[in-house]
Amino acid sequence: MTTVRPSFGTVVEPHLPWLYSLARRLVGDPDDAEDLVQRCLLKAFRSYDRLRDVEALPAWIKQILVNCCRDYFRREGRAPDEEPLGELEGYSLYRTLAVEDPLPYSDSLHLDFLASFTTEDVWAVLDRLKGLHRIPLVLVHMEGYATEEVADMLDVPQNTVLSRLHRGRKYFERELWAYAEDQDLLREPQGASR
Amino acid sequence: MISCSQAVEQLWEYLEQELDEIRRAEVEQHLAFCRRCCGELEFARELRGFLSDAARPQLPADVEGRLTSFLDHLEDPSTDPDGSTTDATTTDGTTSTTQGDRP
């Protein structure tokens, strides 16, 4: 008896919310994220007949999305060379907060600093990172993948992922502080509306 | 014993349990004696949670509408990507053979 394969749209549509949210986390800009998802859907549609097990669709289409994301950064010329971290190597947001003491009345300075960021602020900070560093940071620390899995997804050695993660975290810490200063996040008392 | 900068550099890997036995022991030995680096470790733990707990961007209704229409268009090219039906000849995009991605 021949099994009727469900239509592509039927199996993919329930996954649109997380596909979009992943795209949004990876590339930042909402329009670019939507475009990325469309590219992903087109590629997946063209390969759907070759997907042997429809149950494997989530992992399969996520891989397609990540591949499209890599193409996106290459096409947009956003594949920067790996520059030495230089002074950033020794940067510590923990130390910066302790020295600058931006919340002098706080009993839990570091927690209160992080609490001053909304979700939109976090995305804005992530958007300041180059794709080379944002992608592994999102995949490991937001999507929960192991570095070995990310290495496989990005088709690079695991050590490369670890190196990009290390840099990404440094840039992320630095940009958290820079963003907080730029946006005056620490100017108002805790609890005041923004 | 390793220095503070050496310990701090490895804290995230330590939290991710990605250090080998020797390096993990070195970090733990340092943390046993260095209060400042214990603070760094705690902040790294908070920052990890900060990232992992960041809410997922929601799919806006208008974007969902466009993506759903796009799916309809892929399966029925006589449908415009905006969802309306046209008499236009089907466009290419449904029969070409491309290199698929790894499942």
Side-chain angles (χ1 to χ4, degrees):
Chain A
M1 186 172 72
T2 304
T3 304
V4 176
R5 191 181 179 89
S7 72
F8 178 75
T10 301
V11 295
V12 167
E13 192 169 338
H15 299 286
L16 289 179
W18 69 257
L19 271 173
Y20 175 79
S21 84
L22 177 57
R24 184 85 165 68
R25 280 174 161 177
L26 288 172
V27 302
D29 180 82
D31 292 335
D32 288 347
E34 183 178 346
D35 183 63
L36 190 71
V37 174
Q38 284 203 356
R39 291 175 190 274
C40 168
L41 293 176
L42 179 59
K43 287 187 78 171
F45 178 75
R46 289 173 169 173
S47 306
Y48 182 54
D49 287 346
R50 277 178 275 159
L51 176 63
R52 289 187 290 273
D53 179 9
V54 175
E55 295 296 314
L57 183 131
W60 173 76
I61 203 167
K62 183 178 284 189
Q63 178 67 63
I64 294 174
L65 184 72
V66 170
N67 289 348
C68 290
C69 183
R70 288 162 58 197
D71 294 341
Y72 163 85
F73 282 109
R74 280 194 216 108
R75 187 171 46 248
E76 296 288 334
R78 296 180 194 179
D81 295 327
E82 279 285 31
E83 306 157 354
L85 279 176
E87 285 184 0
L88 194 60
E89 183 63 62
Y91 180 80
S92 162
L93 178 58
Y94 174 82
R95 249 194 338 263
T96 300
L97 288 170
V99 168
E100 297 291 336
D101 195 14
L103 303 169
Y105 300 107
S106 167
D107 292 330
S108 51
L109 169 64
H110 297 86
L111 273 177
D112 286 344
F113 173 79
L114 295 180
S116 64
F117 288 80
T118 65
T119 297
E120 287 77 15
D121 291 325
V122 177
W123 300 339
V125 173
L126 281 171
D127 204 28
R128 292 178 169 208
L129 271 60
K130 295 174 180 174
L132 191 72
H133 305 123
R134 182 165 69 240
I135 294 174
L137 201 67
V138 167
L139 291 176
V140 171
H141 294 301
M142 301 181 105
E143 297 294 320
Y145 286 100
T147 54
E148 198 173 331
E149 291 175 301
V150 174
D152 195 42
M153 291 168 81
L154 301 180
D155 196 25
V156 296
Q158 187 178 9
N159 280 342
T160 300
V161 174
L162 291 172
S163 172
R164 291 177 184 176
L165 264 178
H166 176 71
R167 290 163 178 272
R169 288 164 192 154
K170 288 290 183 184
Y171 286 123
F172 183 68
E173 288 192 27
R174 183 189 68 182
E175 292 307 319
L176 274 175
W177 177 251
Y179 182 87
E181 287 191 305
D182 294 343
Q183 301 296 317
D184 276 340
L185 291 188
L186 306 170
R187 182 166 57 87
E188 297 172 4
Q190 287 298 307
S193 60
R194 290 178 50 224
Chain B
M1 192 165 72
I2 61 174
S3 66
C4 287
S5 61
Q6 288 172 316
V8 169
E9 189 179 318
Q10 300 180 83
L11 288 181
W12 283 78
E13 283 81 8
Y14 175 76
L15 288 170
E16 298 288 331
Q17 300 181 352
E18 291 191 345
L19 295 180
D20 60 43
E21 205 173 309
I22 293 174
R23 289 168 67 200
R24 187 175 69 245
E26 288 176 340
V27 170
E28 289 177 346
Q29 182 190 36
H30 182 91
L31 290 173
F33 291 97
C34 183
R35 185 179 169 187
R36 187 177 77 173
C37 286
C38 284
E40 289 267 14
L41 176 68
E42 191 51 39
F43 184 64
R45 189 174 281 128
E46 290 164 7
L47 205 48
R48 273 176 86 234
F50 177 73
L51 276 169
S52 66
D53 293 343
R56 289 183 173 277
Q58 296 299 303
L59 177 61
D62 60 327
V63 177
E64 183 175 19
R66 286 194 293 274
L67 290 176
T68 303
S69 295
F70 184 75
L71 281 175
D72 292 338
H73 175 69
L74 285 177
E75 295 196 298
D76 181 5
S78 67
T79 306
D80 262 347
D82 65 359
S84 59
T85 303
T86 69
D87 295 327
T89 305
T90 59
T91 57
D92 182 55
T94 60
T95 58
S96 63
T97 302
T98 57
Q99 190 67 31
D101 293 281
R102 290 179 290 140

